[in-house]
Each structure stands twice: as C-alpha cells, then as structure tokens.
Amino acid sequence: MADTVSDVIIRRLKDWGVTRVFGFPGDGIGAFDGALGKAEREGEGIEYIRPTHEEICALMATAHAKFTGEVGVCVATSSPGGFHMVNGLYDAQMDNQPVVAIVGQQGLASLGTFGQQESNLERVFQDVACYVQTIVSPAQAEAVIDTAFRTARARLQPAVVVLPHDVQAMKAVTPPVAHWVSRASRVPASSAITPPEEELRKAADILNAGERVTLLVGAGAQGATDEVLKVAELTGAGIITALRGKDVVPGDIPHHTQQVGLLGSLPSLHQMHECDTLLMLGTNYPYAEFLPETGAARGIQIDLKPEQLGLRYPTEVNLWGDVRATLQALIPMLEPTSDPSWQRTIADEMRGWEREEEAEAMAHYDDGANPRRFYYELNKRLPDGVIVTADAGTTADWYAHHLRFKRGMRGDLSGRLATMLAAMPYATAAKFAYPDRPVICTIGDGAFQMLGMNELITLKKYLGRFSNKQFVVLVMHNNDLGQVSWEMRTEDADPVWRTAQDVESIDYAGYARLLGFQGIRVEKNEDAASAIETALAYEGVTLIDAIVSRNIPPLPPDITKEYAKNTGLALLKGDPFEFDVIRDSATALATEGIERVKGALHLGRGGKHSDESQQ
C-alpha cells in the first residue's frame, strides 16, 4: 500500500523526537487517526494517549513540554475538537512552551462554503499560535511539519497544523526540486544563545558593584540550577523564585526566600524593598508593584524571549540569551564578595518566616480543617523525585507558602493564564513522562469538578503501564470557588455571592473508590498527616478528600490598607459568612502576629537584624 500524507507526517513526528501524542478522535481527523493505528499495529507507531476531552489533550501537551523540555503534541478533529483545545494552547503560549497541535479539517472543496464542521481554523488559531498553516498538497506536508516544530521550539510557543480530511489520505510524494516547493530540514534551530561579550561585561560590572544583590529566578532558568547558585555564591545574593520557577532553586538553600507578591513571603518582599541590584533570570514576573521602586535598584534581565526584556522593571542591561549559557559566560567575569551579611540577614529572616508558616498551618478553625495543614504535612513527607502540581486558586497559595522542593523534585502549574483544572492533566502528563516517579496533584473542589474528575477515568484506563503507580490527588473540599470569593472581597469590596460561588458538595473519596482507587475522607487537622502517610504508602491512586474551611484567608505577606478596607466593606454589605470570616481571619492574623513578635525578640537578642525583622 502506498504511503499517504498521514504516514509521512507520522514519520516526520518521530524524526522530531515525538514518542507520545495526546489526542481525541473524530471524522475530521479520521484518516490521520487511521494511519496512527496502522503504525501502531506494525510496531512503528507513536504512543497515543486519549484522555476525556480535547482541552485536556492540549493541557497535557503543555505539561509534557514543561516537564520534559520536549515539544508537546496534541491532536483533535475539526472545528469542535479544535475549539476545545484553544484554552490549553493559550496556556502553552502564555507560559512559553513549545507545543504542536494537529487539527483536522473538512475536505478542501468545503473550505469557505459553510459546510458541516467547516470553519476558518487558520483565523481561529492566529492569535494563540506563532505559526498556523493548512496543508493543501502532499508536496507541502514535510515542510509545514518541520516549520511548525522548528518555530515552536525556537519561539517557545504553540504552532498549529491544519490537516484537511482528503489531504490526510492523499498519496505521499517526495518534494521535487521545483519552483515553489520547499525541501525542509528536520534540524531544530540552536537555542544556546549568548549575548556579546561587551554586554556581559556591563552586567558583570553592575553585579560586582552591588552590595545587596537579589536574583529573581523564573521557569526560564530550568536546567541552570548550578549556575544560579554559583552567581549567588559569588555576589552574595539572596534568591527569590517566581511561582513557576519554584523548583529551579532547592528549597533548602537558606537565602532562598521562595516567592514574592500575594503568594509570597515577607522575606522576599523585604529583599525587593532593600536590594540595590536586581538580576532577573528567565522570568516574566507580571506584578510590578512587588518589584523595587524605580531607581532604587540597578536592574539586569536575561531571557530567551527578547520581547519580554525590560518590560517589568527599567533595567540597565537586557541580555537576550539562554539563561544557562549566558550565566556560564558571565560567571568568569564576577568578582567574589567577601561580605556575607546580606545573605545572612535574609537567611535569618527566612527562618523566622518558616516558624510563622508552621504556626499558621497548625492553627485550629471551627468550621473545617485548616487547608494549610495538609500542605505542611505533605511538605514534610515529599518523596524523592516527586512531581507536584497545583491548580489556580487558593491551592496555588498553599503550594507557594508551604512546599519546599529538594533537588530532583519538580512542581508546576498554569502560570500566566492561571486556568482552572490544569492540575489534573498536568499531573497525568507528568506520570506518562516519568512512569517511575510518584506524582501528587493538589486541586480545589471547583477545579476538580470542571474536568479534573474525568481524569481519574484516564488514570484508571492507563494505570497498568506505570512502573510506579503512586498517584495522589489532594482535593481541597470547601464547597466554594475560594480564590474568587476572596477576590470579590479584597479587590471589589463585594460580599460573596453564593449563587455564583457555591460548589455542590459530593463524596470525592467515594467517587475514587467507585473507580477502584483508594479514597480517604479527612475532616480534622490531626488526621492530615496520617492520611498523607497512608496515601504515600499505597501502590496505586489515592484521593484525599480534605474537608476544609472556606473562610480561611489566603493572607498576603503584607496587608495593604486597600486589602483591609475592601474586606471590611464587603462584610458590612452582608457577606453570608461574615461571622466565620471575621473569626477565621482573626485567628490567622493573631497567629501571624505572635510569630512575628517572637521572631523580632529572637533576632533582637542577636543584635543587628532586629529592626529589619520588625518591619
């Protein structure tokens, strides 16, 4: 049987290193799916993972790219399937991930004629993708696939290939040496970009002159951990990680103060207020109000995305380059500091902050368990090599505040898009990428109900192929879209509107047991540790249904007047949980205040850092 265009595309995918695609079938992509099936039967196929929804396919492809550094690939049928993938592709776009989507289309003759499931897919995907192209002839197929992969990898963005149904089954041709025909290369563009030496020297001079250097490290520094730590050692710098860069720097580095901003730590905020030099590494951190005041610090930024350089802070030097390669070229130009006082100050305050976080996790509330307690107990028991995902919402707060990743551990979430439900497809994709490693998904009940519950079905389908079957789903069950409820109060001074905010309560542990998994329901703080130990000891899927309070505030490290004022106004307008919110907020604030006083007294006995710790 002669090769078809679909056969050629499948071989080309393998040439680009693709071993797995996430797809959902349909008639618009039918001939391509048939070719995938034929390749599988002949032992030359690509692993085809079929979750329960096309949006999940795209999110899994994005997560695959994040966790492996490879190009993620998703496949869907024409219009409805392609439309479902858009959200996941925006996640890839906004978090700078290389993904290639192959989307079916009705036959060539139907284009522009208002046919069944025929729409202008190129126009639909034009905003989300860095490259969108329809394959309209066999001679064009290889060049389009190669361009999609090369562009996605070089620009760290999604690319979309539209594949009409009749073209999928056309007889393949070798691209001829002819006018209008491209004969493409299967070689990616090099991304180990380093800036010119004179620009590196400018950056080195600024860092060498700094007395209080801070590194803000993002996910773009993945793979450059040793270089980041070397720069911190030479410059005496403190380290802050953006939320998606959390796993780049080990959590046991004393001068690593974790995140900054609403989900961050007070030591990170103090670093930003007091540093005289800021080096931003592979981050597009979006909250400018938490960066130094203009002119307060000299700024340098290193990033592979040139359009994102100098965008968040008025930097003096913008280095377009790969973080690891650029730091390797920069390090020989740095002069070692002999003054460790900045790092020591940061480490001292961070120890106090950790005590405060522990106290907040141990606090008792009358209207449900403390969600912080589960993350605190989980952090103490994270197994080696674990991969942890978090969802958008308050789970991201607890993830940021309480989890500390050691070397070899990974963690991620939907960053700039912050889409709900991503934690489950992220975790499932991580399990496919690393079937020998434990995976933990932390998610709220609202996100879990969106599509997250579906992915327990996907796990049931594929569980047998994982050598390590440990997979833990930690559901924060508070019957509320918690983050949005708090945003209504703190941002808009509105009371919670239960018509929109309530989440229907169901037995999540029972649902897990229905599928043959281990389900554990937890209602008390003191049972959190044993539940997590039981889950981590189980060789299979465990769902922990954590019944937690909906009224515990995700407190920022520094409460602004606007935050306090808006919350007060919301309560005065008749918030349905007014009493519980006041009581639980008072408990959280009291715990926070007591620990800060203790920290101030502790540091005061040591002398020099007492003023700073009281800020």
Side-chain angles (χ1 to χ4, degrees):
M1 184 182 297
D3 279 349
T4 65
V5 168
S6 293
D7 296 324
V8 168
I9 291 174
I10 292 166
R11 282 200 296 271
R12 214 63 172 185
L13 295 181
K14 294 178 72 174
D15 289 342
W16 279 97
V18 177
T19 59
R20 179 180 302 113
V21 301
F22 304 96
F24 204 96
D27 70 309
I29 195 69
F32 182 74
D33 284 344
L36 284 169
K38 182 185 74 171
E40 180 185 81
R41 291 191 297 273
E42 294 174 352
E44 298 178 357
I46 295 171
E47 185 179 29
Y48 182 88
I49 304 301
R50 203 224 74 192
T52 59
H53 195 278
E54 293 92 347
E55 182 176 356
I56 299 293
C57 293
L59 288 167
M60 290 179 80
T62 300
H64 180 88
K66 288 182 174 182
F67 286 123
T68 67
E70 301 170 356
V71 178
V73 179
C74 49
V75 181
T77 190
S78 52
S79 299
F83 299 158
H84 282 160
M85 289 204 302
V86 168
N87 188 55
L89 295 179
Y90 269 109
D91 191 38
Q93 183 213 62
M94 296 177 77
D95 279 351
N96 302 320
Q97 296 303 312
V99 169
V100 171
I102 298 175
V103 183
Q105 174 63 290
Q106 300 308 297
L108 289 171
S110 76
L111 299 184
T113 66
F114 310 104
Q116 175 79 1
Q117 292 193 343
E118 181 275 325
S119 57
N120 190 333
L121 293 176
E122 288 196 6
R123 183 179 296 172
V124 168
F125 290 108
Q126 203 67 53
D127 181 66
V128 72
C130 63
Y131 176 79
V132 186
Q133 188 57 57
T134 301
I135 297 177
V136 296
S137 77
Q140 177 201 16
E142 290 183 0
V144 169
I145 292 294
D146 291 341
T147 304
F149 273 85
R150 189 160 36 249
T151 306
R153 286 189 59 163
R155 296 190 181 179
L156 299 176
Q157 295 282 275
V160 176
V161 175
V162 180
L163 195 55
H165 190 265
D166 48 354
V167 176
Q168 296 167 32
M170 288 181 181
K171 182 179 178 181
V173 299
T174 301
V177 181
H179 192 54
W180 294 337
V181 178
S182 293
R183 290 168 291 146
S185 164
R186 291 166 284 185
V187 178
S190 171
S191 60
I193 300 169
T194 55
E197 184 176 351
E198 59 269 25
E199 293 298 308
L200 290 167
R201 175 56 62 188
K202 290 179 185 176
D205 289 344
I206 293 171
L207 291 169
N208 289 333
E211 296 181 355
R212 298 183 305 279
V213 179
T214 287
L215 312 183
L216 178 56
V217 182
Q222 198 66 248
T225 299
D226 289 337
E227 289 76 13
V228 170
L229 294 179
K230 187 64 177 178
V231 170
E233 174 193 335
L234 292 170
T235 62
I239 302 173
I240 299 170
T241 45
L243 189 57
R244 287 203 53 241
K246 187 177 181 72
D247 61 354
V248 175
V249 179
D252 53 6
I253 300 297
H255 45 277
H256 173 199
T257 59
Q258 298 293 316
Q259 286 68 70
V260 68
L262 294 175
L263 280 63
S265 72
L266 194 61
S268 290
L269 189 62
H270 286 169
Q271 274 203 73
M272 284 298 185
H273 286 168
E274 298 166 18
C275 70
D276 62 16
T277 308
L278 177 64
L279 174 58
M280 302 172 69
L281 300 171
T283 179
N284 184 31
Y285 180 78
Y287 302 110
E289 67 269 30
F290 296 107
L291 298 178
E293 293 289 334
T294 300
R298 304 182 71 183
I300 305 163
Q301 188 172 358
I302 303 173
D303 209 292
L304 258 180
K305 302 287 290 181
E307 68 273 20
Q308 294 177 4
L309 289 167
L311 185 62
R312 305 302 185 197
Y313 187 76
T315 44
E316 291 184 46
V317 178
N318 291 317
L319 301 176
W320 178 20
D322 170 71
V323 171
R324 184 170 185 235
T326 301
L327 290 184
Q328 286 174 341
L330 180 65
I331 284 170
M333 302 179 183
L334 298 179
E335 300 167 0
T337 183
S338 59
D339 182 5
S341 60
W342 174 240
Q343 282 186 349
R344 189 169 59 240
T345 298
I346 291 166
D348 283 349
E349 188 180 5
M350 191 60 186
R351 282 189 288 271
W353 177 258
E354 296 286 14
R355 290 192 296 270
E356 185 174 311
E357 293 282 86
E358 179 181 11
E360 290 185 357
M362 302 303 285
H364 177 78
Y365 298 91
D366 293 333
D367 50 348
N370 183 348
R372 291 177 176 270
R373 182 67 174 268
F374 290 87
Y375 286 77
Y376 170 79
E377 300 292 353
L378 175 62
N379 183 63
K380 294 198 296 185
R381 296 164 175 83
L382 288 174
D384 292 342
V386 71
I387 302 172
V388 185
T389 66
D391 215 85
T394 53
T395 58
D397 290 83
W398 319 137
Y399 168 92
H401 288 167
H402 294 285
L403 297 190
R404 306 287 183 262
F405 296 128
K406 297 177 182 176
R407 272 190 184 262
M409 297 179 181
R410 295 295 308 276
D412 218 328
L413 73 172
S414 174
R416 194 156 66 93
L417 182 62
T419 183
M420 289 176 67
L421 79 85
M424 271 301 287
Y426 271 38
T428 309
K431 196 66 173 176
F432 281 110
Y434 302 101
D436 58 338
R437 296 172 67 169
V439 172
I440 300 171
C441 167
T442 69
I443 191 168
D445 51 0
F448 195 56
Q449 284 191 13
M450 290 181 88
L451 283 174
M453 294 176 69
N454 291 20
E455 287 317 286
L456 286 182
I457 300 171
T458 303
L459 280 174
K460 181 177 176 63
K461 178 180 179 180
Y462 291 104
L463 189 62
R465 69 176 59 191
F466 305 134
S467 56
N468 178 327
K469 294 179 174 56
Q470 283 186 322
F471 193 108
V472 179
V473 184
L474 176 58
V475 180
M476 295 290 101
H477 182 168
N478 62 4
N479 306 324
D480 182 37
L481 298 178
Q483 186 74 21
V484 182
S485 291
W486 280 102
E487 287 168 344
M488 289 179 73
R489 295 175 178 124
T490 63
E491 294 181 10
D492 301 309
D494 281 328
V496 166
W497 183 34
R498 294 194 64 174
T499 301
Q501 294 302 111
D502 279 4
V503 174
E504 183 67 20
S505 182
I506 72 165
D507 181 1
Y508 300 108
Y511 175 67
R513 289 192 290 269
L514 183 67
L515 292 171
F517 301 145
Q518 178 172 237
I520 305 173
R521 182 181 173 94
V522 184
E523 299 183 24
K524 299 178 180 179
N525 291 347
E526 53 268 29
D527 295 332
S530 62
I532 289 166
E533 288 175 356
T534 300
L536 292 175
Y538 184 65
E539 182 62 13
V541 178
T542 300
L543 186 145
I544 299 175
D545 188 356
I547 312 301
V548 298
S549 169
R550 70 191 293 168
N551 300 307
I552 299 173
L555 292 173
D558 186 36
I559 297 174
T560 65
K561 291 180 180 178
E562 182 183 19
Y563 183 103
K565 176 185 174 183
N566 286 345
T567 303
L569 288 173
L571 298 180
L572 288 172
K573 293 176 182 177
D575 192 285
F577 301 100
E578 176 184 0
F579 174 77
D580 291 332
V581 167
I582 293 172
R583 181 192 59 202
D584 292 356
S585 296
T587 299
L589 286 167
T591 302
E592 199 174 73
I594 289 168
E595 288 305 312
R596 289 186 189 176
V597 170
K598 287 181 180 178
L601 292 172
H602 173 76
L603 290 173
R605 286 193 292 272
K608 63 186 290 186
H609 307 309
S610 58
D611 290 342
E612 178 185 340
S613 62
Q614 293 178 59
Q615 291 180 14

